[in-house]
Amino acid sequence: MSEIPPAKPLPAWMTPVNLLRVSVGVALLTIALKTLAWWISGSVGLLSDAMESFVNLAGAMFALTMVTVARRPADDCHPYGHHKAEYFSSGFEGILILGAAVAILWAAGLRLLHPQPVEELSWGMGLALLSTAFNGALAWVLLRAARVHQSAALEGDARHLITDVWTSIGVVVGLLAVRATGWLWLDPLVAIGVALNILREGARLLWDASQGLMDEAMAPEQLARVQAVLDEHAAASEGAVQFDGLVSRRAGARSHLELHMHLPHDWTLGQAARERRAVEQALLHAVPGLRATIELLPRDHATVFEVLEARREQGEQRQGSGEGIA
């Protein structure tokens, strides 16, 4: 999500929930088309492609559930909201992808040991390409919507569909090679290549989900916009206002930011409140959906936590240099 730039507004109906419902419907359609393609041709490559579509269906259904959960408002038990629920869909889909890859490797290995002829390649490839067109169009829409809604679930589903598109193209290329050469082992070999590609995608989705659940920082592009806002306000005050202690984290579509704003000692509480409000508004404009927590401090003052952290770091530096060792 983070590396995708903002996009143009979408039609009102293109909410994450509605788009994932469409994704479920397209997954059912592609399962039917690819299963028919495998049944007609007997190609293990097309079988592997059909099996991945089942993963698409399970992933889309789970993503739909998690997006619904993520929309719930904050409550007493979850004061920061439920936005992180989207990361569970990404992790779940990654696990499903890994399982499908293992199954494909098993089926392709058996076919590689015992090659079998493939039949009706024209119909099989035609149905595979038709389902690929559906997946490609849906992936483009989902990726665009992910940019607007800042949805990890939509992006995960879109990235998986893009992988599925390239997988289908690879299978068709393999079948064309079988037709041209008569080498039956090319069909399971392509299926193995598909499985390895799926393994890579599954591992990436699991990694992204783990980073989101571990409070990964905001994207560098977003932090650059935040820093630009802070620099602008510091310059406008001619150095009277200073910022430090900035930390950030992402939680699905919501980004959280904490920082300290140091003000002159003679400022009134009203002046400080107005300045903080101006900074908050500028930050929200720069990063839509941002939840910023700004702590007001007098100039040249640090929090107790900062003092303790500084002492701890100094102690570690002394131990590293050999000081204090009897």
Side-chain angles (χ1 to χ4, degrees), residues 58-278:
M61 293 178 65
F62 192 76
L64 177 59
T65 301
M66 291 298 99
V67 165
T68 303
V69 172
R71 294 175 63 191
R72 295 176 182 172
D75 53 38
D76 291 340
C77 295
H78 306 89
Y80 289 97
H82 301 78
H83 305 283
K84 280 190 176 183
E86 291 195 20
Y87 293 122
F88 288 103
S89 70
S90 179
F92 178 74
E93 192 165 355
I95 293 172
L96 290 178
I97 290 173
L98 295 178
V102 172
I104 293 170
L105 287 172
W106 176 264
L110 292 178
R111 184 62 65 89
L112 194 61
L113 294 175
H114 307 286
Q116 296 181 19
V118 291
E119 303 173 354
E120 298 292 341
L121 289 182
S122 297
W123 276 103
M125 290 187 294
L127 292 171
L129 290 175
L130 179 60
S131 64
T132 298
F134 284 119
N135 279 337
L138 178 61
W140 183 83
V141 173
L142 289 178
L143 198 57
R144 183 186 172 199
R147 298 171 184 174
V148 176
H149 296 294
Q150 292 293 295
S151 171
L154 285 182
E155 185 187 356
D157 205 34
R159 297 293 184 189
H160 186 202
L161 287 174
I162 291 172
T163 300
D164 191 49
V165 168
W166 287 112
T167 295
S168 299
I169 293 174
V171 169
V172 170
V173 170
L175 291 176
L176 289 173
V178 170
R179 169 180 282 183
T181 64
W183 298 340
L184 298 179
W185 52 267
L186 282 176
D187 180 38
L189 187 65
V190 169
I192 291 174
V194 168
L196 294 177
N197 184 51
I198 294 173
L199 280 173
R200 180 183 59 84
E201 180 67 13
R204 190 191 71 82
L205 285 174
L206 280 174
W207 172 258
D208 289 346
S210 68
Q211 294 305 295
L213 292 172
M214 292 177 65
D215 289 336
E216 187 179 24
M218 291 167 55
E221 296 84 0
Q222 293 176 322
L223 289 175
R225 293 199 294 269
V226 167
Q227 191 61 52
V229 169
L230 301 182
D231 291 343
E232 180 181 352
H233 279 266
S237 69
E238 298 181 350
V241 178
Q242 297 177 355
F243 302 93
D244 64 14
L246 190 152
V247 293
S248 68
R249 65 183 179 90
R250 288 182 291 174
R254 176 63 61 84
S255 297
H256 296 267
L257 183 73
E258 298 179 9
L259 71 152
H260 301 151
M261 184 166 71
H262 296 267
L263 305 170
H265 293 262
D266 57 350
W267 274 31
T268 66
L269 186 59
Q271 285 178 290
R274 286 191 295 271
E275 181 66 19
R276 179 168 66 178
R277 181 178 179 82

Side-chain angles (χ1 to χ4, degrees), residues 269-300:
L269 186 59
Q271 285 178 290
R274 286 191 295 271
E275 181 66 19
R276 179 168 66 178
R277 181 178 179 82
V279 173
E280 288 173 340
Q281 289 177 335
L283 289 173
L284 186 59
H285 178 74
V287 184
L290 177 67
R291 178 171 176 172
T293 301
I294 303 177
E295 183 176 358
L296 301 179
L297 292 171
R299 291 280 299 274
D300 304 323

